[in-house]
Amino acid sequence: MRPVSSWGRLSAEPHQVTALSDIATLADELHGKGPAIPLGRGRSYGDACLNPGGTLLDTARLDRFHSFDPEMGRLVCEAGVQLRDIQRFMVPRGWGLPVIPGTQHVSVGGAIANDVHGKNHHRVGSFGNHVRNLTLVRTDGGVVDCGPGVRPDLFAATVGGIGLTGLIATAELQLQPVTGPWLDTEILPYRSLDEFLTLADDSESLWEHTVSWLDCTAGSRARGIFLRANPAVDQSGKPPSPRRLAVPVTPPFPLFNRLTLPVFNSAYYHLNSRRGGARRRPFDTFLFPLDDLQDWNRLYGPRGFYQYQLVVPRDAGPAALRDILDIIARSGQGSFLAVIKTFGDRASPGLLSFPTPGVTLSLDFPNRGARTERLFVELDAVVRAAAGRLYLAKDARMPRELFEAGYPRAAALAKFRDPGMSSGMSRRLMGQ
Amino acid sequence: MNQKKRIVVIGATSAIAEHCCRLWMQRGPVELILVARNVALAERIAADLRARSGQAEVSVETMDFLSTPAIADSVARWTSQMPVDIALIAHGVLSPQQPCQDDIEKTRESVEVNGVSPILFAEAFAGAMERAGGGTIGMIGSVAGDRGRRINYVYGASKALMDRYAQGMQHRFAGTAIKVVLIKPGPTDTPMTADQKARGRRLASVESVAQGTVDAIDRGTAVAYLPRKWQLIMFVVRALPDFIFNRLNI
Ligand SMILES: Cc1cc2nc3c(=O)[nH]c(=O)nc-3n(C[C@H](O)[C@H](O)[C@H](O)COP(=O)(O)OP(=O)(O)OC[C@H]3O[C@@H](n4cnc5c(N)ncnc54)[C@H](O)[C@@H]3O)c2cc1C
Ligand SMILES: NC(=O)c1ccc[n+]([C@@H]2O[C@H](COP(=O)([O-])OP(=O)(O)OC[C@H]3O[C@@H](n4cnc5c(N)ncnc54)[C@H](OP(=O)(O)O)[C@@H]3O)[C@@H](O)[C@H]2O)c1
């Protein structure tokens, strides 16, 4: 047993961590291993990848490619392969992953099991939309394939299924052609929520990647920075290798607090509005800015932090978002990294997939115990009234009834579950 | 230079060696000969490497790592047609100390796998490289070879054999195009240390140790401690006087 934390560092409960290493003996290794839950890179913020007191099936070493078809761009690989590795090897060969979340340090298995989305959701949908097939290994020793065309029900339960249908051993992914590592980017400041929504609508048809950072210390008089990018026309030259920094220790208190937040936010806003405009940038520093600061989650101090990510349908969006920003401003617990983005209409394949047409907002809050929970209860009420939902990859605390309201198809998961799989999250939200 | 680099990896199923191969793959055309005891696993590694790069030639071989004639014949075969640019000798087993004390047969096995076999490979490659006029031999030793300790001196002493051997060969090839590189990893996250990891010990990532290995081989560094901090730590450990060292439980 050793203590394991997820990305939010809210807990460090002991776990039995079983390192899976050999794809050939996986079925034997898993046989009778419950209650267990697969662990990818532990980039989920809450308890989706935790199983306090129980077993974690660590997939880090299931990291081999099996085959690549350079004509069709189809890659078969093991679930522990990191997205960063796929990009590293495939971009020079003219192919890339269609969907990458805000960090490349996630595994293929984790990307499927949370059906993750990227800044190009309005164009390509979520990760699960590009999975052609996968092989599941279950704790009864069974091995089953599923995909959009084979056992589609099991596939829908597995994509976004937070590990509960069995261990994804391998997946076949459809990559997309890429021209190179550069993006043509634009950075635009905006001064209200309406201005953001107009920018988002205007950008969706012409820009492949859109995302925005919001200063939420200002309440509903929001201001922010809108970022959009397309593959660069000029792909010449090698992008500089980024300077990697690391946060060496956990400070004794969160560095983002009531006093420093307005300063950070204001500085960030002004810095970016000034360096705004159009420029060519390397895709990884543009799309994954935090990947160059290793262990940045330590900045929130020893008690860890929550990320609260919601999506509300487009029509309810503006009003609900305004309420949310007002509640946050009033609480004085502003968030440094407030990210807002519109989702497109492409249907997500999973029963528990998060993306749905509308606006998604994610906010980081240092853990201040009961005070933070009181704020969340207020936010929950707005999300619920707007028929929205919270993202399981980020969640560590939502009440069961909000889960059931937000994910009406959740009940259908039960019959596809691997009885040996159970996580902190599944016990909290589904009772087992 | 457009020519494929030819690389032979002895103990190719080692996690450190596998990650070195991935890095070599990324840098351009290579021909890799993977030599391993476990052929099925080596084949999966070869398939991975081929899928990663469109321009790699990867083959798998197996042999008895403890057989002197097999070592001599194999190295002769790999080097007879074309010179080998890099030979990475990676195999090793972290033999637990107590069983070696209880049964000296186990001591012999450990010293043979960890010490004798690697130097025989190194000596065979050295001869071939001398005839070809160039090449680099990388050997994976260990910080455990720097000072004998009660918890692992059978393994440590075998690694120490590699130390002197590499030193001697470096002397022999000083001023030539032949480089002998001794890698000394600290505790690294690989299958070898799985139970240390399960107990919560902090380990260096295998990616970073592989990167350091590939860099050291590029530069022809004589001795590379990986991560670098182990150079300082082992300097202190070696310098501790016996009357202090013998009281420490390390
Ligand atoms: C800085 C940062 C930015 C992020 N940005 C985004 C973003 O833009 N969009 C987005 O969608 N998400 C984002 N995320 C969340 C992240 O993409 C997801 O949490 C992702 O699932 C993490 O993958 P992982 O490999 O770390 O999986 P883990 O967190 O270890 O596990 C996630 C879930 O997948 C399951 N799982 C893992 N491997 C397997 C397997 N082989 N078989 C079955 N189940 C498995 C686990 O049991 C768990 O339920 C971000 C996270 C961070 C830290
Ligand atoms: N990991 C560490 O913390 C650490 C620290 C210092 C030094 N090292 C050294 O680094 C090298 C690589 O180890 P690793 O960390 O990558 O561990 P690993 O993945 O466990 O690799 C060990 C390798 O040695 C091979 N091997 C063991 N006994 C053998 C035998 N009798 N005949 C043939 N091959 C044999 C194994 O082959 P099979 O697959 O057939 O078993 C495997 O390829 C070793 O020399 C090790 O001593 C490791």
Side-chain angles (χ1 to χ4, degrees):
Chain A
M1 290 268 188
R2 69 177 159 97
V4 179
S5 303
S6 63
W7 193 248
R9 298 166 53 94
L10 288 159
S11 64
E13 300 289 334
H15 288 75
Q16 183 67 49
V17 184
T18 303
L20 305 172
S21 59
D22 196 345
I23 196 102
T25 58
L26 217 48
D28 291 341
E29 263 187 276
L30 251 61
H31 194 93
K33 263 273 158 55
I37 199 75
L39 172 68
R41 308 297 301 185
R43 253 52 179 195
S44 297
Y45 285 67
D47 51 2
C49 59
L50 297 178
N51 183 18
T55 299
L56 291 179
L57 303 167
D58 186 354
T59 59
R61 241 189 275 291
L62 294 177
D63 69 341
R64 295 196 178 106
F65 291 24
H66 286 199
S67 63
F68 177 64
D69 175 346
E71 304 296 309
M72 304 298 288
R74 285 184 194 152
L75 174 70
V76 179
C77 69
E78 296 174 7
V81 167
Q82 279 191 61
L83 304 191
R84 184 200 57 185
D85 245 33
I86 297 181
Q87 291 300 95
R88 258 192 205 162
F89 283 91
M90 294 302 148
V91 171
R93 301 176 72 179
W95 293 95
L97 285 163
V99 176
I100 312 184
T103 169
Q104 299 192 84
H105 299 282
V106 305
S107 66
V108 167
I112 296 172
N114 269 321
D115 194 17
V116 302
H117 57 270
K119 298 177 174 59
N120 54 356
H121 182 272
H122 57 282
R123 283 287 178 85
V124 300
S126 57
F127 199 91
N129 288 122
H130 309 273
V131 178
R132 297 178 45 86
N133 190 56
L134 48 84
T135 305
L136 273 180
V137 178
R138 305 185 31 125
T139 54
D140 61 5
V143 178
V144 238
D145 273 19
C146 62
V150 191
R151 299 189 189 84
D153 296 358
L154 177 60
F155 183 69
T158 301
V159 172
I162 52 171
L164 299 175
T165 62
L167 184 103
I168 302 164
T170 60
E172 181 182 348
L173 308 176
Q174 177 65 57
L175 306 188
Q176 70 178 13
V178 295
T179 49
W182 293 98
L183 295 176
D184 284 330
T185 68
E186 265 185 35
I187 298 184
L188 308 161
Y190 61 85
R191 304 213 54 108
S192 73
L193 210 51
D194 289 330
E195 215 184 304
F196 160 77
L197 290 166
T198 315
L199 265 174
D201 288 342
D202 292 351
S203 303
E204 285 193 355
S205 59
L206 291 173
W207 296 84
E208 187 159 319
H209 304 280
T210 66
V211 70
S212 161
W213 169 87
L214 188 77
D215 177 358
C216 67
T217 48
S220 51
R221 290 171 291 107
R223 59 178 178 179
I225 305 288
F226 193 88
L227 306 144
R228 55 192 188 187
N230 273 327
V233 182
D234 171 16
Q235 290 288 354
S236 61
K238 228 181 130 170
S241 36
R243 247 186 328 147
R244 304 237 180 265
L245 299 173
V247 178
V249 290
T250 308
F253 55 86
L255 291 188
F256 302 118
N257 55 44
R258 200 173 185 142
L259 291 176
T260 61
L261 254 182
V263 183
F264 277 125
N265 275 295
S266 192
Y268 190 87
Y269 177 81
H270 289 291
L271 202 75
N272 277 290
S273 357
R274 224 166 291 138
R275 90 181 171 144
R279 235 180 89 188
R280 195 176 76 140
R281 291 185 169 85
F283 85 92
D284 40 5
T285 40
F286 183 77
L287 295 176
F288 324 110
L290 287 170
D291 281 358
D292 295 334
L293 184 59
Q294 209 190 322
D295 297 330
W296 62 263
N297 52 344
R298 290 180 172 173
L299 294 174
Y300 282 95
R303 296 180 68 188
F305 70 113
Y306 290 94
Q307 188 165 90
Y308 191 91
Q309 181 167 3
L310 59 96
V311 58
V312 286
R314 192 52 204 269
D315 43 339
L321 291 170
R322 234 168 251 123
D323 288 348
I324 283 178
L325 294 175
D326 278 333
I327 294 171
I328 293 170
R330 245 188 298 121
S331 78
Q333 301 188 60
S335 155
F336 177 53
L337 288 167
V339 175
I340 185 168
K341 148 135 198 91
T342 45
F343 280 146
D345 293 329
R346 184 147 178 196
S348 302
L351 292 177
L352 295 185
S353 290
F354 172 68
T356 176
V359 188
T360 179
L361 173 67
S362 62
L363 306 148
D364 287 355
F365 298 98
N367 174 19
R368 293 208 175 83
R371 264 185 61 197
T372 312
E373 180 55 28
R374 273 199 300 278
L375 168 65
F376 289 151
V377 169
E378 278 189 75
L379 299 181
D380 288 351
V382 181
V383 172
R384 171 132 209 206
R389 60 168 67 141
L390 300 185
Y391 191 5
L392 298 178
K394 311 295 177 73
D395 181 59
R397 43 71 49 195
M398 89 167 104
R400 188 165 170 175
E401 48 83 25
L402 181 61
F403 168 69
E404 284 165 0
Y407 292 89
R409 294 162 75 198
L413 181 75
K415 84 171 195 266
F416 299 100
R417 276 186 67 168
D418 178 337
M421 295 294 189
S422 171
S423 61
M425 174 168 274
S426 76
R427 293 190 287 277
R428 178 165 63 82
L429 297 177
M430 304 168 199
Q432 52 177 313
Chain B
M1 222 184 64
N2 234 347
Q3 244 197 332
K4 279 193 176 173
K5 260 200 167 30
R6 288 189 80 222
I7 303 176
V8 181
V9 183
I10 311 294
T13 55
S14 127
I16 295 176
E18 180 177 5
H19 279 84
C20 290
C21 292
R22 291 183 185 176
L23 293 168
W24 282 321
M25 266 317 120
Q26 242 184 306
R27 300 201 306 193
V30 285
E31 183 194 337
L32 272 176
I33 301 172
L34 306 182
V35 186
R37 167 172 71 169
N38 181 343
V39 186
L41 180 53
E43 287 292 358
R44 286 199 290 281
I45 292 172
D48 166 82
L49 295 170
R50 289 184 200 114
R52 281 172 198 258
S53 154
Q55 3 168 263
E57 219 179 289
V58 188
S59 56
V60 171
E61 294 201 20
T62 187
M63 60 180 287
D64 180 354
F65 281 51
L66 301 180
S67 151
T68 317
I71 294 173
D73 291 352
S74 302
V75 174
R77 194 159 38 78
W78 299 321
T79 51
S80 63
Q81 304 289 324
M82 267 202 293
V84 165
D85 298 289
I86 299 171
L88 177 64
I89 302 167
H91 58 293
V93 53
L94 188 54
S95 351
Q97 175 72 18
Q98 191 62 46
C100 290
Q101 285 170 207
D102 296 343
D103 176 2
I104 55 172
E105 176 59 18
K106 290 216 159 55
T107 302
R108 186 188 59 81
E109 281 167 18
S110 176
V111 174
E112 286 195 347
V113 177
N114 290 310
V116 177
S117 165
I119 63 159
L120 295 180
F121 275 105
E123 191 58 69
F125 276 112
M129 287 182 180
E130 191 166 40
R131 285 187 290 282
T136 303
I137 299 172
M139 290 199 257
I140 310 190
S142 170
V143 293
D146 275 21
R147 187 160 188 172
R149 289 179 298 147
R150 67 171 79 100
I151 57 157
N152 64 2
Y153 62 81
V154 176
Y155 172 77
S158 319
K159 292 292 189 184
L161 170 61
M162 219 187 270
D163 236 47
R164 277 315 148 261
Y165 215 90
Q167 196 178 48
M169 291 204 295
Q170 286 157 359
H171 194 213
R172 167 177 164 200
F173 293 123
T176 73
I178 298 163
K179 302 280 174 256
V180 178
V181 173
L182 180 62
I183 306 296
K184 293 192 182 182
T188 306
D189 187 358
T190 74
M192 185 176 274
T193 51
D195 49 319
Q196 297 183 35
K197 183 171 180 171
R199 276 182 271 121
R201 175 157 194 195
R202 272 190 82 92
L203 303 163
S205 78
V206 64
E207 287 88 357
S208 66
V209 170
Q211 183 70 58
T213 302
V214 166
D215 291 347
I217 288 176
D218 276 348
R219 295 194 195 110
T221 312
V223 180
Y225 287 87
L226 298 173
R228 289 275 301 275
K229 66 173 183 195
W230 284 97
Q231 181 156 11
L232 181 66
I233 297 172
M234 294 321 293
F235 174 79
V236 174
V237 170
R238 281 194 314 270
L240 282 176
D242 287 347
F243 74 91
I244 298 180
F245 184 78
N246 288 343
R247 266 185 252 163
L248 296 178
N249 203 6
I250 55 174

